[in-house]
Structure formats: structure tokens, C-alpha cells
Amino acid sequence: MTAKVIADDVEALTVAAALADEFRPGAAARDAERRLPRAELDRLSASGLLAVTVPAEYGGADVRQETLAEIFRLLASADASLAQIPQNHFVYVNVIRRQGTAEQRKFFFGEILAGRRFGNAQSEAGTKNVQDIRTRLDRQPDGSFTLTGVKHYSTGALFADWIPVLARAEDDNLHVAYVPYDASGLTVVDDWDGMGQRTTASGTVRLDAVPVPADRVLPHHLTFQEPQLHGAVAQLLHTAIDVGIAGGALAEAAEFVRTKSRPWFESAAESAADDPLLIQRFGELAVQLRASEALLREAARAVDAARADLTDDSAAEASIAVAVAKAHATTTAVEVTGALFEVAGTRSALNSLNLHRHWRDARTHTLHDPVRWKIQHIGRYVLNGTKPPRHGLL
């Protein structure tokens, strides 16, 4: 694959806006038919957007996190499933940046600049909790490894060139093994049947003694022994997706009311768009959405500031800023996508229109990490100055 190399933040945002406009018209049909977006992902790869966080010394644009968040917001406003697929890609690019050797960085950053995609094989089902990773990375006599385990919710794996696998080595520490899609013993199963984000193909990855060369394994556990932004960046992108879903839903609701809804007879308005009660409700929803958009930008800037001067204090401030934005965006996404039907009226519930995809996407995506625990960490930080934990999910 040949991919464009994006030069800077401005070009990245221009390309993202153009792709969002390109992807938006087909989003409802892709969801309704569960038509996986392979062609759209190829366009995304070729656009160069997947390489925008590659460091400048390796030929990338190394864009600000504020820019990256805006890219995800734009894409999610058009198609939430499509925006979710590359989220893990950027998370695992970050792992290479943080823990990769010079040789690993040179190789993988070259792959990314060429348009290659990372998926993920991280979560497991049936374990004690999300941190209970049981997939094993076993060292062989020649110094290489084999991977054995089963992964679930593997967003992006079906479309990936490389699948980063989270596993425990003999010392029980967490490592990430970067495995090519066609590796022996690796099977990707398209068995995702979620009510929302239907075209993410977030199914199962099975690993049956998959061979892994030693130079494709990175010590992920070291990430959390020092000040880090791994969780803040991952959660920032999740937040951007939620904000994008809400924005896309509100825009579609407004278009529907302007062109299809009828005014309630008691309003005496000539059109639904002139109904004072609908105007009031759209104003309320716009306030909620703009607050989430502002918190997203503030959180992204906090992450950028921490990247420039990474300390325990700056990392904590960034994580808390992202947690605040994520908590607000979760409420906004669910409220706005539900209110779409309230303002648009009975016709908006027709299955053929598939407007409910916005709510299904919001309700599904906001389940990723419980906001109630983010609120706990925010409260502890504000009240007692307790820094958030370094577990990678905050």
C-alpha cells in the first residue's frame, strides 16, 4: 500500500474533515446492512491519517493530541464505528514510541508511514476483571516466544496488518507482542454482535502457540513504572468519539426537523423549526454539546502540556482533565442521541431511517470504561490531592 505522508496539524485536520464528509453519506446503510468498512479503512490508510503521531525524526508529522482528538471527533460525527476502529491503532503506536528500541521504532514507524494498520487483542472474557490477563507469552529455547490465549472485543483486528497482543511473560509482567495478521496459529473471528458500533467487527482473536520473534515484543509493564500518559491518550480518543457521536446526532436531528418534521398543532408555527419548544430544546442540547467539545479541547491541551514536561504532577493533571471530559461526554452522547427522537417526532423512529444507530453507538461505546470510577478519582484529586493510579485506563 502507498500512503500519503501528512506534513502538519493543519493538513491532518483538512484531510480528516474531507474524509468525514466522504464517509458520512454511507454510514446509515453500512450499519443497517452490517457492511464492514474495508474500502473506507483503505481510504483512511492511504490518506496518511494513521501515521500522524509518528515522531518527526522518523518522518511523521507528530501532531498535537488536540489535533488527534479533533480527527477522531470529526470521523465519529460521520460514522462512529469507523472512528472506533483506529483508536487502538494509535494506542499501540504510543507503546512503540514509549517502549520500543531504536530498531523497533524504525521498523514499525516505517510500516505505519506506509499505511499499515494496527488492530488489538487486549481484553479477555470470563476473567476476574479487565486487568486479569491470562494469555501467555512463553519463551522458546532460541529466544523467541509463542502466544497462547483467547481475546475478545478485538476492535480493528479483522482489518489489521499487525495485531498487538497483550500477554503475560514468565515473570508475569505485561508485554505487547506485535503479530502479523497472517501468523501461524492466529485466528480472527468476526463474531461481534453488539447492538451498536455494528461494523467495528470487535470479535474474537484465538492464539494457538503463535510464534513471535523476540524483536516483536515490547515490555509494556515498564510504561506504568514512571509518569505516563498511556491511559490519558487512550481515554482522550474515546472521549472524542463520544463527542463526535453527539455532534453527528444533533446535526442530523436538526436537518430532520427542518426538512421532515411537522409542527405540533398547538404551537401555531408554520414549520417544526419555528416551534418555540423545539427551539428551546435544541438550545439546551447545543449547550450540553458545546460544553463537552470545550472539555475535550481542554483535556487534549492538558495532555499536550504534560507531553512537553512529563512529571507526576503534569501526568495527573492530564489524566484528571481527560476523566472530566469523558464523564461529561458520556452523559452528552447518551442524552443527545436519545433526544433526537424527542425533537424529531414519531417518524424518526422508523427502522428504515436508521436514526437509532446514533443512540445504539453512544450507548455501546460509553460502556468502555465506567464513568463512576472516573468521578471517584476526580473527587479524590480535588478533595485530597490524591493522584490517579497508573493503570492505563485513566
Side-chain angles (χ1 to χ4, degrees), residues 40 57 97 112 176 197 229 261 265 285-286:
E40 289 77 13
E57 59 265 36
R97 181 174 185 147
I112 296 161
V176 177
Q197 293 193 296
L229 297 170
S261 296
F265 71 94
L285 295 172

Side-chain angles (χ1 to χ4, degrees), residues 118-133:
F118 289 168
N120 99 96
Q122 178 171 292
S123 295
E124 300 179 12
T127 57
K128 183 178 179 180
N129 55 53
V130 296
Q131 295 282 313
D132 183 15
I133 302 298

